[in-house]
Amino acid sequence: MEGFPFVMEQVVIFRDIDMMGHVNNAVYASYFETARIEYLHSLTDDPPNQVPFILAEITITYKSPAYLRERLVIGLRVSEIGNSSMVFEGQIIEKETGRLVATSRAVLVHFDYQKQRPVPVPAELRARISRFEGREF
């Protein structure tokens, strides 16, 4: 998946399907969320449930429906890192045909849950993302 350094597969299962027979629109947010958690987990030693980010914003653009048993490929990249936030861009394609299914843009905020406020993205995480993405942030 060109331009997306992080890639994972997702099989569409029955619970993802709505009354119209295709993946429900809300499920795509979960697909992208799972990919973001796996992306961050792949760069840190933290357990996936201890990644200290909150989702501040997400936009999903639906391009074509996905159906039961299709194999989806989710690609992610970090396009921007601010003081306490980062922007993830993503896309989902159907593996067999390469059909574009959805795109996304999500803003995550590095967050101190005890103090209930944003905190700066750690320098070490910024450096790891820069190495993984192959560019400086």
Side-chain angles (χ1 to χ4, degrees):
M1 191 179 261
E2 182 108 14
F4 293 91
F6 181 84
V7 177
M8 65 172 274
E9 285 192 29
Q10 175 72 50
V11 176
V12 176
I13 59 175
F14 181 74
R15 73 166 179 228
D16 298 344
I17 304 301
D18 64 16
M19 291 176 36
M20 302 309 216
H22 54 68
V23 174
N24 182 274
N25 64 312
V27 173
Y28 292 100
S30 293
Y31 290 166
F32 284 118
E33 177 181 51
T34 298
R36 287 191 308 272
I37 290 168
E38 291 301 318
Y39 177 109
L40 291 168
H41 181 61
S42 74
L43 298 180
T44 70
D45 298 327
D46 297 334
N49 66 337
Q50 301 216 355
V51 177
F53 283 92
I54 59 171
L55 180 65
E57 174 186 331
I58 188 164
T59 303
I60 300 172
T61 303
Y62 306 98
K63 299 294 191 175
S64 66
Y67 298 96
L68 185 63
R69 291 194 218 86
E70 283 189 323
R71 298 185 83 70
L72 305 178
V73 180
I74 305 167
L76 285 182
R77 65 177 163 235
V78 172
S79 61
E80 181 181 334
I81 300 179
N83 180 50
S84 62
S85 66
M86 63 179 63
V87 176
F88 278 89
E89 295 175 348
Q91 76 174 16
I92 298 175
I93 62 169
E94 194 280 322
K95 184 176 182 177
E96 187 175 318
T97 64
R99 180 182 83 249
L100 181 60
V101 174
T103 61
S104 75
R105 179 183 182 278
V107 178
L108 272 67
V109 175
H110 195 253
F111 198 74
D112 183 322
Y113 285 93
Q114 289 183 329
K115 296 178 182 176
Q116 290 293 297
R117 64 178 182 83
V119 293
V121 174
E124 176 58 27
L125 179 58
R126 185 183 300 265
R128 287 180 183 190
I129 292 170
S130 291
R131 283 192 300 273
F132 184 72
E133 294 278 342
R135 61 192 182 98
E136 288 297 315
F137 288 98

